[in-house]
Amino acid sequence: RDARLPVTIISGFLGSGKTTLLKHLLENTEDVKMALIVNDMAELNIDAALVRRKGAELSRMEGEDGKMVELDNGCICCSLKPNMVKEISRFAKERKFDYIVIESSGICEPMPIAEVFYEEQDGTETKDMTAQDAINVLGDMAKLDTMVTVVDVTRFAEYMNSLKTLIEHYGKRVIQDSQEGHRSIAELLVDQVEFANVILINKTDIAKVEEVAEVKAIVKALNPNAIQIETSFSKVESKSVIATNSFDLEKLRLGAGWAEAMRRNEKSEDDNHQVHGQQKQPQHQHEHGHGHGHGHGHAHERDQKHKHRDHYGITSFIYHRRRPFHPERLKKMLDKKEGIKGSLRSKGFCWIASRHSISVEWNMAGKVCGLESGGKWFAEDAEFKEELKSEPDLLEKILADFEEPWGDRRIELVVIGIDMDQKAIETSLDACLVTDEEMKCGPKAWKALKDEFPEFEEVEDDELPVLSQP
């Protein structure tokens, strides 16, 4: 039996019902002593007498001067990570509690918080102990048990279709002007839905039945493996969110709808290779020190034959091309902020002609798309074959993605949406590709193409996620 203190992390937008869920758990969890960690005591309206009566303890995450830290990016994993780690470690060492519940900020991405339980710290000082000391205690005495996201069903469609950034939506009182603050609220909503193993579809009492059903279908498309629970006033059985023993980091990282669609595509192509008498290449996702965190399938310029449709018209398909986007035409399309008609989510990697040496990660939520460096293509590294001599299976999989003369360079995007016209979407994306004549000009000429995308930050090998096929 795992004797470590279990932890539930609750995410969700401001007003979704996170604090109401905390109050409900306090009032309805018998014989369980909980320690609660919250971001902002001022926003928390829990009766102190209730906390004492239930034998719980309420802790806020404080700065080194003992005052509330004003979050500069809405992410407790960045601003307050050492203090959060220290609080969890303190509760675990005291052995007074059966469980810890953390309410994250409404402007917080959940994945980095979860990774605190798995990563090594840099030894930053935090009052009485270093973060490294704390993380050692954390790993030995506490475990991440459940990731819960609370969704306001009445505002889900509004958030998914919004063009607002976090700063524009919440204001500078809540989130200051930082890089994180310029993320779209649609992107944050998708992050919170994709990285949860329990999702509460809340406020169903004031929503239409059809609205609830459609939101549940969209949530399932974004996160097929999460348990969904319909709630009003965040009322849920405590056993559904407390001590579930259901959290699996690798499964959650690879369980998003876009990742599953990519694997379905790889399996289908593997089966096609087998039918035509070709050697079957195992499906996989991998990470190597050249920045390739994407799944590698066999991408060809062809229509995707196997779309997956449900009752609400939600489908997914994969857009493959073995030629690059023209930077100017792509930027004009993305700057319209109209999204991909019918698309809720698209994710993957692409090849941009003016940035020939690097894979570019594509991350579109709603109508807003983010691009960032995914590291160099394997074809850019003349030594990777030598480096991977000791891993012949991995090398074989990588080489299976190569097509002359461009190696593993390609575009591979999973598109998920409602009532999508796949042909029309492919046509609009194809219009952003380099033409046949431009393709003949080659990489030297492509460098001169008009490219107004911002410079991407360098991606260090040790910053990239390690993805392995479960």
Side-chain angles (χ1 to χ4, degrees):
R1 181 178 176 273
D2 193 337
R4 292 177 296 169
L5 188 62
V7 179
T8 285
I9 295 175
I10 302 173
S11 298
F13 274 54
L14 295 173
S16 63
K18 300 191 306 296
T19 299
T20 305
L21 174 59
L22 281 182
K23 293 172 70 174
H24 174 72
L25 292 175
L26 274 175
E27 292 167 349
N28 295 278
T29 305
E30 301 297 331
D31 303 321
V32 176
K33 290 186 177 180
M34 287 190 294
L36 310 180
I37 299 176
V38 300
N39 249 344
D40 190 348
M41 294 282 255
E43 297 292 328
L44 194 65
N45 184 26
I46 292 182
D47 186 356
L50 172 63
V51 175
R52 288 194 299 272
R53 186 170 70 250
K54 300 299 292 187
E57 181 171 333
L58 190 61
S59 172
R60 70 177 181 182
M61 282 174 279
E62 299 178 335
E64 300 304 325
D65 56 2
K67 297 179 181 178
M68 186 67 66
V69 171
E70 188 71 31
L71 297 184
D72 62 0
N73 61 4
C75 185
I76 61 175
C77 63
C78 300
S79 299
L80 297 174
K81 178 162 62 178
N83 300 290
M84 182 183 75
V85 168
K86 188 179 68 174
E87 285 298 298
I88 296 171
S89 300
R90 178 172 69 84
F91 288 140
K93 290 172 72 176
E94 288 176 355
R95 299 186 179 276
K96 288 166 43 180
F97 302 99
D98 305 310
Y99 209 89
I100 298 175
V101 178
I102 300 174
E103 180 194 15
S104 71
S105 163
I107 47 183
C108 188
E109 181 185 353
M111 183 186 289
I113 309 173
E115 289 175 337
V116 170
F117 288 78
Y118 296 86
E119 68 183 8
E120 293 183 1
Q121 300 295 304
D122 60 6
T124 305
E125 296 275 336
T126 63
K127 284 189 179 177
D128 299 323
M129 69 173 75
T130 66
Q132 184 61 61
D133 291 337
I135 201 70
N136 290 339
V137 174
L138 187 63
D140 292 340
M141 302 185 69
K143 67 168 185 175
L144 186 51
D145 180 81
T146 315
M147 289 292 297
V148 179
T149 290
V150 185
V151 169
D152 180 349
V153 70
T154 67
R155 304 197 70 181
F156 188 88
E158 172 195 343
Y159 291 156
M160 279 298 298
N161 291 307
S162 176
L163 296 175
K164 289 184 177 180
T165 64
L166 293 173
I167 290 176
E168 291 168 341
H169 181 71
Y170 287 119
K172 291 188 178 182
R173 185 187 69 82
V174 176
I175 180 167
Q176 296 180 6
D177 192 359
S178 69
Q179 184 176 354
E180 287 296 311
H182 291 281
R183 298 175 71 214
S184 72
I185 63 173
E187 183 182 355
L188 178 61
L189 176 61
V190 168
D191 285 341
Q192 291 180 348
V193 168
E194 287 182 341
F195 201 79
N197 56 310
V198 177
I199 300 174
L200 303 190
I201 309 298
N202 196 32
K203 304 188 181 181
T204 56
D205 56 310
I206 57 174
K208 294 180 180 178
V209 173
E210 297 82 3
E211 182 181 22
V212 173
E214 183 168 316
V215 169
K216 289 182 68 178
I218 294 170
V219 167
K220 185 171 179 61
L222 295 174
N223 187 341
N225 299 307
I227 296 170
Q228 294 188 41
I229 304 172
E230 294 183 34
T231 58
S232 299
F233 299 99
S234 299
K235 291 181 179 178
V236 64
E237 288 188 84
S238 60
K239 66 181 181 181
S240 298
V241 294
I242 296 289
T244 67
N245 196 34
S246 59
F247 182 79
D248 184 321
L249 180 63
E250 285 304 302
K251 183 177 180 181
L252 208 51
R253 276 174 164 172
L254 296 170
W258 66 267
E260 293 214 340
M262 191 78 78
R263 286 197 294 277
R264 282 197 301 266
N265 173 65
E266 290 175 359
K267 184 178 187 303
S268 175
E269 290 184 341
D270 289 342
D271 291 344
N272 287 340
H273 284 312
Q274 203 169 31
V275 166
H276 292 88
Q278 299 178 29
Q279 183 178 0
K280 186 177 186 297
Q281 300 293 341
Q283 57 174 311
H284 65 289
Q285 280 188 289
H286 74 273
E287 168 56 33
H288 180 254
H290 300 278
H292 302 263
H294 45 257
H296 290 256
H298 306 285
H300 303 281
E301 295 192 24
R302 48 159 169 63
D303 291 338
Q304 186 67 19
K305 301 294 185 185
H306 51 283
K307 294 204 299 184
H308 301 268
R309 179 178 295 275
D310 74 357
H311 179 67
Y312 296 93
I314 297 175
T315 59
S316 67
F317 71 92
I318 298 179
Y319 176 81
H320 296 276
R321 294 296 182 265
R322 282 281 181 174
R323 68 172 60 202
F325 283 127
H326 187 293
E328 185 177 15
R329 290 195 280 271
L330 179 63
K331 192 168 193 307
K332 281 182 179 178
M333 185 197 80
L334 296 180
D335 281 351
K336 291 179 182 178
K337 293 191 174 179
E338 296 174 352
I340 297 173
K341 189 175 181 180
S343 169
L344 299 164
R345 177 79 164 125
S346 58
K347 178 86 171 177
F349 54 94
C350 63
W351 174 17
I352 298 178
S354 53
R355 307 188 183 203
H356 181 67
S357 65
I358 62 168
S359 163
V360 177
E361 293 188 1
W362 171 294
N363 184 14
M364 179 176 279
K367 298 176 180 179
V368 181
C369 185
L371 301 177
E372 60 184 33
S373 173
K376 290 184 177 181
W377 297 106
F378 279 106
E380 280 291 308
D381 185 354
E383 299 179 356
F384 85 90
K385 293 181 184 179
E386 187 67 29
E387 293 172 359
L388 291 178
K389 266 188 175 179
S390 60
E391 300 181 68
D393 291 342
L394 177 58
L395 180 59
E396 182 182 8
K397 293 170 185 177
I398 293 169
L399 292 176
D401 289 324
F402 274 57
E403 281 190 13
E404 294 302 330
W406 306 115
D408 57 330
R409 295 179 182 87
R410 65 199 185 281
I411 299 169
E412 195 163 319
L413 306 176
V414 178
V415 185
I416 301 171
I418 301 176
D419 296 329
M420 294 186 296
D421 183 335
Q422 181 179 338
K423 290 288 186 184
I425 291 171
E426 290 177 336
T427 298
S428 67
L429 290 171
D430 286 348
C432 298
L433 299 172
V434 298
T435 64
D436 289 344
E437 287 301 312
E438 290 165 339
M439 193 73 185
K440 293 175 184 175
C441 294
K444 287 185 179 180
W446 297 343
K447 285 184 179 181
L449 294 175
K450 185 177 181 181
D451 182 343
E452 294 184 344
F453 287 112
E455 288 298 317
F456 299 138
E457 289 186 19
E458 287 285 332
V459 179
E460 300 294 336
D461 294 347
D462 57 2
E463 291 178 356
L464 293 161
V466 178
L467 301 183
S468 57
Q469 190 73 17

